[in-house]
Amino acid sequence: MQSLSESTYLVLLALTKKPLHGYGIIKKIEQYSDGAIVIAPGTLYGVLTNLQKQQLIELVTAEKESRQKKTYQLTDEGHVVFKLEYQRFKKMLTISDDILKGAETDDNNEEV
């Protein structure tokens, strides 16, 4: 499996608990990051399109009113991919913590 981009990971994260429409996904990511991460609508649209093509999310409803609000949810495969990527991130953080705490040395036994 290829690593997910940050924006793709965040969209999957936003959809882990319940289906959301596009604006809801943007707001959920802002909420999770205390406003530090804001995904632009254009970026979100591209991510949603790619995730649908990869069958990691699916369209739940498309309201015909106003701007055709579309609601998305993770597929079973989307849940699997998200969990794998989450484990990969956790492993990278553990390795980083170990190195930064001095547990890892280079080939010359010098601290990194």
Side-chain angles (χ1 to χ4, degrees), residues 6 8-10 17 24-25 30 45 47 55-56 63 66 70 74 80-82 84 86 90-92 94-95 99 107 110:
E6 180 180 310
T8 299
Y9 179 83
L10 291 169
K17 299 294 182 187
I25 294 169
E30 286 181 32
Y45 176 75
V47 170
Q55 298 181 341
L56 300 181
E63 295 177 14
S66 65
K70 296 178 180 178
L74 290 181
V80 169
V81 167
F82 174 77
L84 288 171
Y86 171 73
K90 279 181 58 175
K91 184 174 183 174
M92 287 188 328
T94 298
I95 292 167
I99 290 170
D107 291 340
E110 297 175 15

Side-chain angles (χ1 to χ4, degrees), residues 38-100:
V38 178
I39 293 187
T43 300
L44 178 66
Y45 176 75
V47 170
L48 292 172
T49 300
N50 287 334
L51 288 171
Q52 281 185 287
K53 286 179 184 175
Q54 296 172 43
Q55 298 181 341
L56 300 181
I57 65 169
E58 60 191 358
L59 187 63
V60 178
T61 60
E63 295 177 14
K64 303 255 188 245
E65 305 156 8
S66 65
R67 297 182 294 161
Q68 292 190 356
K69 190 185 306 182
K70 296 178 180 178
T71 303
Y72 302 91
Q73 70 181 11
L74 290 181
T75 62
D76 290 341
E77 181 68 16
H79 280 284
V80 169
V81 167
F82 174 77
K83 287 178 183 176
L84 288 171
E85 192 71 353
Y86 171 73
Q87 291 302 321
R88 188 180 75 80
F89 280 148
K90 279 181 58 175
K91 184 174 183 174
M92 287 188 328
L93 286 172
T94 298
I95 292 167
S96 299
D97 285 343
D98 289 347
I99 290 170
L100 293 173

Side-chain angles (χ1 to χ4, degrees), residues 98-100 102-112:
D98 289 347
I99 290 170
L100 293 173
E104 184 69 29
T105 58
D106 67 12
D107 291 340
N108 298 323
N109 288 333
E110 297 175 15
E111 288 192 23
V112 178

Side-chain angles (χ1 to χ4, degrees), residues 25-43:
I25 294 169
I26 289 171
K27 291 314 225 178
K28 186 61 71 176
I29 291 168
E30 286 181 32
Q31 175 191 346
Y32 287 162
S33 70
D34 291 326
I37 301 171
V38 178
I39 293 187
T43 300

